[in-house]
Amino acid sequence: MIDGINSYNLTKHLAQAPTWTPLEFATKDINGTLLGGV
């Protein structure tokens, strides 16, 4: 799941440094269904 979010985000805005630490948040409902993420 997180890899997909990172891949999508990198298609919209490239990393600004050669070394970076991904910061990610995802929200799921009570059933575990992904609702969104950044």
Side-chain angles (χ1 to χ4, degrees), residues 12-29:
K12 303 303 176 194
H13 194 277
L14 297 178
Q16 297 298 303
T19 303
W20 60 284
T21 301
L23 177 63
E24 55 229 1
F25 297 93
T27 302
K28 295 180 179 181
D29 68 12

